[in-house]
Amino acid sequence: MNVIRAIQTYIDKMITDAGPGMKILMMDRETISIVSMAFAQSEMLQKEVFLFERLDSVRSNEKLKYLKCIVFIRPTKDNIFMLQQELQSPKFGSYYIYFSNIIPRTDIKILAESDEGESVQDFKEIYADYLPVNPNLFSLHIPTCLQALSWNPEALERSTQGLVSVLLSFKFRPAIRYRAGSTAAQTLAKKVHETINKETALFSFRPPEDGAAPPLLLVLDRRDDPITPLLNQWTYQAMVHELLSINKQRVDLSRVAGVPKDLKEVVLSTEQDEFYANNLYANFGEIATTIKVLMDEFQKKANDQRKIESIADMKNFVETYPQFRKMSGTVTKHLVLISELSVQVGQQQLFEVSELEQEIACRADHSTQLQRVKRLVSEGKISAANALRLVLLYAMRYERHANCDTSGLLKLLQDRGGRSHIVPRMLEYISTVARQELFNTVKITDAVKLTRNLIKELKGVENVYAQHECVLKGTLEEVIKGRPLDAQYPIMGNEVPFRRPPAEVIVFIVGGATYEEALAVHRYNQEGYRIVLGGTTIHNSESFIEEVLAATTGVPFKHSRSLQQFHHAPAGTA
């Protein structure tokens, strides 16, 4: 179960079916991201794909009959209309048309009638209608999916289509379970179930042998765990997303002081960057140490005797030896990222902030925690964003405490110009299930202990505070151990529940997943399980707060915003 491999297989098939010769790949604003997250542009060139176009872009009328055109688009009404116009006046010699999902028969008929010149050589559905983030993680890139705590219809339709595509790409006809008490999770589970029953022929896969349980699709709700997206992270990918933001594998470093011109925007892809793939889940100290080892090896070759003891020393070394940068461009990219993360950790006092976040998330100690939050918020030494997060965590944990002083913390936030209006919105957003299960249960085992791993070889770099465990970890434990699920996760439809644990699990979180949850899935997969995680989006704390505001204020879901692409980047450059 590898979502990147699944997408790559479909794209390879499209190109192979078109045969040898020069080809152009025509995409829409969504499929261009799907392709670019699976292949680099150089890899596409090796497959004889020399040109890339957007179906909705303004193009010249020059006829290029010597080119084969591979069309890879989503089956939307707008795309059908634009493709219809293209076929009525074909620019290329032949067309090989692939839709990323199920296309209605009526639309097939419309396109067939438009192809008067019989230029269409192939016409197929492939099921590549989601963004492959990591091998075990996919996203639909829908930043906000709820309005007034109910599904936005457009987001619900897109989520249904994306999940159906994932199931078809793995050839799964799953049992579907959803979080009890979550109307949003139940609604999506029902829509997917209805689509499977409607498209029986597409889902007529061979059933599991020997009475084994079918694959499981588990639909969860972000509102049941609002803690995880608010916490500072200390593993590499999650930390980059929290402090710098990853947008479809790209990180914008244009605002970082002193960054080289060729690193104003960097790509983080497990397929194209071996160093990143190997260190995706490494903690902050480990990744810096790994870079230092590589630099030590180069130092020996360069016969350089200077001491490298800090990230600043590393940067000076790279500037002194341009040939190291040329030989190790990937390492230099990650050194720039690590250096900026280190700066952010210091400027934002994240060691102290993160320690308090973890304390509030994992154990109840009202009086002590309240005084610490008041001090950090009122002193003004931490950022407004971190002050807000501390108040949010306090307000959620202690909203029913007899001495709860959320109002006093809101006053402190207001005094320093913080966004205090978000706090009541978060309390509105959090689910009843979370109130009952997340905060009323005090974890005893090791919850009080802080995990501190000081990397002594490198001054100034620590990995701290990893005591929090996301709710998903416990949920997956229930699933893979074969424990009864019917009460908490009812099964959709009339299927008889299997008591054996499923061999494959796809988890989808309505309201967005996080890289901390992807790490939990990764660790289970390392033990031999087969689990894939997906979400309407991949959150850091900032995007999650935006999700909460949209969900509680009824701000309409903006299709154009959720599907915003790299308008100036050619396909395959990720």
Side-chain angles (χ1 to χ4, degrees):
M1 290 175 65
N2 183 319
V3 294
I4 297 178
R5 293 283 184 270
I7 296 290
Q8 288 175 333
T9 299
Y10 280 126
I11 295 171
D12 277 334
K13 179 173 175 54
M14 289 191 306
I15 297 170
T16 301
D17 288 352
M22 296 179 64
K23 293 175 276 287
I24 179 173
L25 184 56
M26 184 181 293
M27 298 162 285
D28 61 32
R29 61 184 181 177
E30 294 181 65
T31 56
I32 191 172
S33 291
I34 295 171
V35 172
S36 68
M37 291 178 70
F39 286 109
Q41 186 174 23
S42 58
E43 293 174 301
M44 299 300 287
L45 291 172
Q46 292 173 3
K47 300 174 186 293
E48 297 186 297
V49 179
F50 295 103
L51 293 173
F52 307 91
E53 282 198 2
R54 283 268 298 270
L55 178 63
D56 60 346
S57 65
V58 178
R59 308 193 303 274
S60 70
N61 293 322
E62 180 184 0
K63 302 295 184 181
L64 302 172
K65 296 297 183 181
Y66 59 91
L67 282 178
K68 299 177 179 180
C69 181
I70 301 171
V71 180
F72 175 43
I73 56 176
R74 296 196 68 244
T76 64
K77 290 297 182 183
D78 288 344
N79 284 345
I80 297 298
F81 176 74
M82 287 184 284
L83 183 56
Q84 182 184 7
Q85 292 181 311
E86 176 74 26
L87 295 179
Q88 288 172 346
S89 180
K91 178 180 175 181
F92 305 103
S94 56
Y95 290 80
Y96 298 79
I97 300 175
Y98 298 88
F99 287 97
S100 66
N101 215 318
I102 302 169
I103 179 172
R105 292 182 180 274
T106 52
D107 290 339
I108 297 175
K109 182 180 179 181
I110 289 172
L111 293 174
E113 291 173 349
S114 302
D115 183 29
E116 296 178 357
E118 299 185 351
S119 55
V120 176
Q121 303 300 308
D122 204 356
F123 189 102
K124 291 179 180 176
E125 294 174 352
I126 63 173
Y127 307 107
D129 205 14
Y130 51 91
L131 296 178
V133 181
N134 293 345
N136 64 353
L137 178 66
F138 69 92
S139 168
L140 301 182
H141 202 61
I142 306 171
T144 59
C145 62
L146 303 181
Q147 289 176 239
L149 299 179
S150 297
W151 270 106
N152 175 284
E154 187 179 355
L156 175 60
E157 180 182 7
R158 179 68 187 94
S159 297
T160 303
Q161 293 167 345
L163 264 182
V164 167
S165 172
V166 171
L167 296 176
L168 288 171
S169 66
F170 286 119
K171 296 181 170 56
F172 286 172
R173 180 168 184 146
I176 304 175
R177 291 185 179 273
Y178 59 92
R179 187 61 164 109
S182 169
T183 303
Q186 182 178 5
T187 301
L188 178 58
K190 182 179 180 182
K191 292 280 287 184
V192 173
H193 186 260
E194 289 173 349
T195 303
I196 291 174
N197 290 336
K198 179 182 177 183
E199 303 290 347
T200 305
L202 288 177
F203 283 91
S204 57
F205 306 122
R206 181 182 300 177
E209 298 178 357
D210 302 325
L216 173 66
L217 170 61
L218 184 62
V219 184
L220 305 179
D221 192 331
R222 180 78 275 156
R223 296 175 62 208
D224 290 340
D225 181 6
I227 295 297
T228 297
L230 289 175
L231 299 177
N232 272 292
Q233 302 299 316
W234 294 95
T235 53
Y236 190 37
Q237 184 182 41
M239 199 173 180
V240 171
H241 190 43
E242 177 59 39
L243 298 179
L244 300 173
S245 187
I246 304 172
N247 183 10
K248 300 176 187 174
Q249 297 181 336
R250 293 171 181 264
V251 181
D252 182 1
L253 298 176
S254 60
R255 297 182 181 179
V256 175
V259 69
K261 287 184 179 180
D262 58 336
L263 293 177
K264 294 290 186 183
E265 181 181 76
V266 299
V267 175
L268 296 179
S269 166
T270 58
E271 295 299 297
Q272 300 155 32
D273 185 335
E274 184 179 359
F275 185 92
Y276 182 60
N278 292 337
N279 293 279
L280 196 66
Y281 301 113
N283 67 46
F284 187 38
E286 291 169 344
I287 186 76
T289 303
T290 302
I291 292 177
K292 182 179 182 294
V293 168
L294 294 174
M295 300 184 78
D296 286 344
E297 292 174 356
F298 184 84
Q299 254 191 309
K300 292 177 183 178
K301 295 178 183 178
N303 198 26
D304 188 315
Q305 303 301 318
R306 82 183 78 179
K307 283 189 175 182
I308 298 179
E309 295 185 316
S310 68
I311 289 174
D313 293 340
M314 290 186 190
K315 291 186 72 177
N316 292 332
F317 177 86
V318 172
E319 291 170 1
T320 305
Y321 286 99
Q323 62 267 43
F324 174 81
R325 183 174 170 192
K326 185 175 181 181
M327 292 170 58
S328 308
T330 298
V331 175
T332 306
K333 173 178 71 178
H334 291 289
L335 177 56
V336 169
L337 286 168
I338 282 287
S339 177
E340 180 58 22
L341 294 180
S342 181
V343 169
Q344 293 291 333
V345 167
Q347 288 181 346
Q348 298 189 40
Q349 300 190 26
L350 291 187
F351 289 144
E352 185 174 8
V353 170
S354 183
E355 178 183 355
L356 182 52
E357 287 176 352
Q358 294 283 326
E359 284 283 315
I360 296 172
C362 296
R363 72 185 185 105
D365 184 359
H366 177 264
S367 179
T368 301
Q369 291 170 5
L370 174 60
Q371 295 308 312
R372 291 179 67 188
V373 173
K374 280 185 175 180
R375 178 179 61 80
L376 285 175
V377 173
S378 62
E379 283 180 350
K381 293 180 180 180
I382 65 173
S383 69
N386 284 322
L388 173 61
R389 286 196 295 187
L390 288 173
V391 175
L392 286 169
L393 291 168
Y394 170 88
M396 285 189 287
R397 173 169 279 285
Y398 296 114
E399 63 171 327
R400 297 180 181 178
H401 192 280
N403 297 318
C404 177
D405 192 20
T406 297
S407 59
L409 293 176
L410 291 179
K411 176 83 165 52
L412 293 177
L413 273 182
Q414 291 170 348
D415 290 344
R416 60 173 295 172
R419 297 183 293 171
S420 58
H421 66 285
I422 293 171
V423 178
R425 293 296 183 186
M426 182 66 75
L427 294 176
E428 180 184 351
Y429 179 84
I430 184 174
S431 70
T432 303
V433 169
R435 285 191 169 95
Q436 293 172 345
E437 299 182 7
L438 198 58
F439 298 108
N440 292 345
T441 302
V442 179
K443 300 176 183 177
I444 302 299
T445 58
D446 294 330
V448 180
K449 299 177 183 177
L450 298 179
T451 303
R452 179 181 292 263
N453 179 18
L454 175 61
I455 306 300
K456 296 181 179 178
E457 296 85 357
L458 196 65
K459 295 178 181 177
V461 177
E462 284 184 316
N463 175 43
V464 292
Y465 317 144
Q467 59 179 320
H468 173 262
E469 291 184 352
C470 58
V471 172
L472 178 61
K473 184 178 184 296
T475 301
L476 289 175
E477 187 75 15
E478 298 287 310
V479 171
I480 63 181
K481 298 300 184 185
R483 293 167 184 157
L485 299 173
D486 294 345
Q488 288 184 306
Y489 308 98
I491 197 164
M492 178 59 63
N494 298 319
E495 288 86 350
V496 177
F498 281 79
R499 296 310 172 194
R500 296 184 183 180
E504 300 95 2
V505 181
I506 295 176
V507 179
F508 187 82
I509 303 180
V510 176
T514 68
Y515 286 121
E516 181 180 337
E517 288 155 335
L519 172 61
V521 168
H522 168 72
R523 286 174 173 165
Y524 278 119
N525 288 341
Q526 282 185 311
E527 298 175 11
Y529 299 104
R530 302 181 67 198
I531 306 169
V532 164
L533 172 66
T536 44
T537 190
I538 310 297
H539 277 310
N540 57 17
S541 62
E542 182 180 357
S543 65
F544 175 57
I545 288 172
E546 291 177 0
E547 174 103 43
V548 170
L549 288 175
T552 54
T553 59
V555 176
F557 167 79
K558 295 295 184 182
H559 185 80
S560 58
R561 179 189 173 202
S562 70
L563 304 174
Q564 186 177 4
Q565 308 297 318
F566 310 128
H567 294 294
H568 305 296
T573 56

